[in-house]
PDB file of all heavy atoms in Angstrom:
ATOM      1  N   VAL A1129     225.474 135.213 -73.741  1.00 98.00           N
ATOM      2  CA  VAL A1129     226.416 136.143 -73.115  1.00 98.00           C
ATOM      3  C   VAL A1129     225.593 137.070 -72.223  1.00 98.00           C
ATOM      4  O   VAL A1129     224.568 137.590 -72.637  1.00 98.00           O
ATOM      5  CB  VAL A1129     227.167 136.979 -74.174  1.00 98.00           C
ATOM      6  CG1 VAL A1129     228.165 137.910 -73.498  1.00 98.00           C
ATOM      7  CG2 VAL A1129     227.878 136.069 -75.161  1.00 98.00           C
ATOM      8  N   ARG A1130     226.055 137.237 -70.980  1.00 98.00           N
ATOM      9  CA  ARG A1130     225.393 138.155 -70.058  1.00 98.00           C
ATOM     10  C   ARG A1130     226.326 139.339 -69.865  1.00 98.00           C
ATOM     11  O   ARG A1130     227.416 139.194 -69.304  1.00 98.00           O
ATOM     12  CB  ARG A1130     225.124 137.470 -68.725  1.00 98.00           C
ATOM     13  CG  ARG A1130     224.446 138.361 -67.698  1.00 98.00           C
ATOM     14  CD  ARG A1130     224.229 137.589 -66.390  1.00 98.00           C
ATOM     15  NE  ARG A1130     223.490 138.364 -65.413  1.00 98.00           N
ATOM     16  CZ  ARG A1130     224.040 139.237 -64.562  1.00 98.00           C
ATOM     17  NH1 ARG A1130     225.333 139.462 -64.603  1.00 98.00           N
ATOM     18  NH2 ARG A1130     223.283 139.907 -63.703  1.00 98.00           N
ATOM     19  N   ILE A1131     225.899 140.494 -70.380  1.00 98.00           N
ATOM     20  CA  ILE A1131     226.723 141.702 -70.280  1.00 98.00           C
ATOM     21  C   ILE A1131     226.233 142.518 -69.099  1.00 98.00           C
ATOM     22  O   ILE A1131     225.095 142.999 -69.095  1.00 98.00           O
ATOM     23  CB  ILE A1131     226.594 142.568 -71.553  1.00 98.00           C
ATOM     24  CG1 ILE A1131     226.874 141.732 -72.807  1.00 98.00           C
ATOM     25  CG2 ILE A1131     227.523 143.766 -71.479  1.00 98.00           C
ATOM     26  CD1 ILE A1131     226.573 142.486 -74.085  1.00 98.00           C
ATOM     27  N   GLY A1132     227.057 142.692 -68.090  1.00 98.00           N
ATOM     28  CA  GLY A1132     226.681 143.507 -66.945  1.00 98.00           C
ATOM     29  C   GLY A1132     226.371 144.928 -67.397  1.00 98.00           C
ATOM     30  O   GLY A1132     227.060 145.474 -68.259  1.00 98.00           O
ATOM     31  N   ALA A1133     225.325 145.523 -66.812  1.00 98.00           N
ATOM     32  CA  ALA A1133     224.892 146.859 -67.220  1.00 98.00           C
ATOM     33  C   ALA A1133     226.022 147.879 -67.093  1.00 98.00           C
ATOM     34  O   ALA A1133     226.071 148.852 -67.828  1.00 98.00           O
ATOM     35  CB  ALA A1133     223.696 147.303 -66.381  1.00 98.00           C
ATOM     36  N   GLY A1134     226.949 147.637 -66.173  1.00 98.00           N
ATOM     37  CA  GLY A1134     228.003 148.610 -65.906  1.00 98.00           C
ATOM     38  C   GLY A1134     229.297 148.360 -66.655  1.00 98.00           C
ATOM     39  O   GLY A1134     230.324 148.964 -66.339  1.00 98.00           O
ATOM     40  N   LEU A1135     229.278 147.480 -67.657  1.00 98.00           N
ATOM     41  CA  LEU A1135     230.493 147.225 -68.449  1.00 98.00           C
ATOM     42  C   LEU A1135     230.706 148.392 -69.418  1.00 98.00           C
ATOM     43  O   LEU A1135     229.852 148.659 -70.251  1.00 98.00           O
ATOM     44  CB  LEU A1135     230.340 145.921 -69.245  1.00 98.00           C
ATOM     45  CG  LEU A1135     231.566 145.471 -70.040  1.00 98.00           C
ATOM     46  CD1 LEU A1135     232.606 144.847 -69.117  1.00 98.00           C
ATOM     47  CD2 LEU A1135     231.178 144.481 -71.133  1.00 98.00           C
ATOM     48  N   PRO A1136     231.838 149.104 -69.323  1.00 98.00           N
ATOM     49  CA  PRO A1136     232.045 150.226 -70.252  1.00 98.00           C
ATOM     50  C   PRO A1136     232.193 149.723 -71.691  1.00 98.00           C
ATOM     51  O   PRO A1136     232.646 148.611 -71.939  1.00 98.00           O
ATOM     52  CB  PRO A1136     233.353 150.861 -69.770  1.00 98.00           C
ATOM     53  CG  PRO A1136     233.669 150.257 -68.464  1.00 98.00           C
ATOM     54  CD  PRO A1136     232.947 148.950 -68.380  1.00 98.00           C
ATOM     55  N   TYR A1137     231.824 150.608 -72.650  1.00 98.00           N
ATOM     56  CA  TYR A1137     231.912 150.249 -74.073  1.00 98.00           C
ATOM     57  C   TYR A1137     233.303 149.781 -74.450  1.00 98.00           C
ATOM     58  O   TYR A1137     233.467 148.856 -75.246  1.00 98.00           O
ATOM     59  CB  TYR A1137     231.552 151.457 -74.946  1.00 98.00           C
ATOM     60  CG  TYR A1137     230.116 151.856 -74.882  1.00 98.00           C
ATOM     61  CD1 TYR A1137     229.743 153.076 -74.328  1.00 98.00           C
ATOM     62  CD2 TYR A1137     229.121 151.033 -75.376  1.00 98.00           C
ATOM     63  CE1 TYR A1137     228.410 153.464 -74.271  1.00 98.00           C
ATOM     64  CE2 TYR A1137     227.787 151.405 -75.326  1.00 98.00           C
ATOM     65  CZ  TYR A1137     227.437 152.626 -74.771  1.00 98.00           C
ATOM     66  OH  TYR A1137     226.125 152.998 -74.711  1.00 98.00           O
TER      67      TYR A1137
END
Side-chain angles (χ1 to χ4, degrees):
Chain A
V1129 181
R1130 180 181 185 274
I1131 307 172
L1135 184 77
Y1137 291 114

